[in-house]
Amino acid sequence: MNPSVVTVTMNPAVDKTVNVEKIELAGLNRIKDVRIDAGGKGINVAKVLAGFGVRSAALAVAGGYQSSLLRDKLEQAGIACSFEEAEGETRVNLKVVDESTRQTTEFNEQGIQVNAGILERFTTRFADALDGTAYAVIGGSLPPGAPAGYYRTLIDAARKRKVSVILDADGPAFAEGLEAQPYAIKPNLHELELYFGHRLEDDKALVSAARELIRNKGVTLVLVSMGGDGSILISATEAYRARPFPIQPLSTVGAGDSMVAAMVYSLLGGRTLEEMARITSAAGTITASKPGTQVCGIEEVEAKLGLVELTVM
């Protein structure tokens, strides 16, 4: 049986999360415990979907010893994976949790170098994986050597096969990807402001900007995340402002990816935009309340749906 969702992570990582009592800058820091996870936006989405009971396949470009580690981690989670192998080593992203402040500091490597041949083979791999698939999630940074327009190539390939794409990227990759008319996008507020080149002063301006993308770029849904201030989900005819329930934030890693996964879960289940706004907000909030790279599960998301405050825009 083919997966319902294919996720793309062009620049995956082995996420190494370490806990220390208190970070001592320019001093000795003794690590209390270590956690190793498969990471990257598309992979994180696949992990959340697995916890929601949705079958997905994670596609990535990987290399070296870390490629085997990524594969093992995904298989342990019950996630099918397909990697285009490249020379060099997949990056390792270090996340240091300071238990005294409950803050996470991240150190991310650049990523593995790719060339035209690797990208051409990956495009074919991606297109072949789409048979019987409903949605594709393309997200995260592009690896060194990939042109800014590569996500546009993948979205075009998906649209030819009538597969709807959710794009979660930033900068030139986001701008170029928009030109291929993805079905949905999930920028954060800062990314959206960078795209338009000016500040969006309030919720009304944000909704107006999102509707401009819907009119001019062929996007159907825009989900804008704003960290602790919540999110806004916009279509051509509806918009919902979600304000999250109070939490003690422990790590923002994977919170936006959890929102993307919850959006796909809602689309697969035929949920209304109002229901989607509530589910995506709860998913992102719960993941932000977890340490390191841990993500939400469907039972805890459903238990908190009633705590999300929604306003019709």
Side-chain angles (χ1 to χ4, degrees):
M1 185 170 62
N2 289 332
S4 301
V5 183
V6 167
T7 72
V8 169
T9 311
M10 294 301 300
N11 201 12
V14 172
D15 283 340
K16 183 175 183 179
T17 305
V18 301
N19 287 57
V20 299
E21 286 188 5
K22 179 179 173 59
I23 292 179
E24 296 292 342
L25 296 178
L28 175 63
N29 292 272
R30 298 195 182 277
I31 295 171
K32 294 179 64 178
D33 52 69
V34 179
R35 178 185 174 102
I36 303 292
D37 292 289
K41 281 188 176 295
I43 286 174
N44 288 339
V45 170
K47 286 158 59 177
V48 177
L49 287 173
F52 282 20
V54 176
R55 295 183 72 254
S56 65
L59 274 60
V61 175
Y65 169 76
Q66 309 299 347
S67 174
S68 298
L69 183 57
L70 281 177
R71 194 184 305 274
D72 289 345
K73 288 292 183 181
L74 289 170
E75 289 176 353
Q76 289 168 18
I79 299 168
C81 58
S82 177
F83 293 170
E84 187 64 43
E85 296 291 335
E87 292 184 5
E89 280 287 345
T90 297
R91 62 184 180 149
V92 176
N93 289 345
L94 177 64
K95 302 164 194 314
V96 182
V97 180
D98 185 330
E99 293 183 346
S100 68
T101 61
R102 296 189 176 184
Q103 293 181 327
T104 300
T105 302
E106 300 184 56
F107 300 87
N108 291 353
E109 295 180 4
Q110 279 195 323
I112 203 164
Q113 183 80 26
V114 299
N115 55 38
I118 291 171
L119 296 177
E120 184 176 344
R121 291 194 296 274
F122 186 87
T123 303
T124 300
R125 183 184 296 269
F126 172 69
D128 290 345
L130 296 178
D131 289 341
T133 299
Y135 295 96
V137 175
I138 299 174
S141 61
L142 287 165
Y150 183 64
Y151 284 157
R152 183 174 183 172
T153 300
L154 295 182
I155 297 169
D156 283 338
R159 292 187 71 227
K160 288 177 182 177
R161 289 158 181 79
K162 302 188 185 307
V163 175
S164 297
V165 173
I166 293 88
L167 175 66
D168 183 8
D170 62 6
F174 174 68
E176 290 281 349
L178 272 176
E179 297 304 315
Q181 299 183 341
Y183 178 81
I185 56 175
K186 206 285 310 161
N188 61 37
L189 177 58
H190 176 66
E191 291 163 353
L192 202 61
E193 289 177 333
L194 282 178
Y195 176 80
F196 282 101
H198 60 80
R199 287 197 63 192
L200 301 172
E201 299 291 345
D202 52 29
D203 290 352
K204 184 178 179 181
L206 191 155
V207 172
S208 177
R211 291 234 164 97
E212 183 177 330
L213 296 179
I214 291 170
R215 286 192 307 271
N216 298 336
K217 301 300 180 182
V219 178
T220 299
L221 296 176
V222 180
L223 175 59
V224 183
S225 57
M226 296 176 283
D229 290 329
S231 57
I232 301 182
L233 179 60
I234 306 111
S235 72
T237 57
E238 297 177 88
Y240 292 93
R241 175 70 155 91
R243 289 180 171 80
F245 42 87
I247 60 164
Q248 174 63 57
L250 294 182
S251 173
T252 59
V253 178
D257 307 324
S258 297
M259 297 179 76
V260 172
M263 171 185 274
V264 176
Y265 175 79
S266 300
L267 289 168
L268 290 169
R271 288 165 174 79
T272 65
L273 202 72
E274 179 180 355
E275 291 171 326
M276 185 187 294
R278 198 176 292 278
I279 292 172
T280 53
S281 177
T285 303
I286 290 171
T287 292
S289 73
K290 293 178 178 291
T293 53
Q294 297 181 44
V295 295
C296 61
I298 188 57
E299 290 184 358
E300 54 190 345
V301 169
E302 289 179 338
K304 296 289 189 179
L305 291 179
L307 299 180
V308 177
E309 179 186 337
L310 285 189
T311 304
V312 179
M313 298 290 296

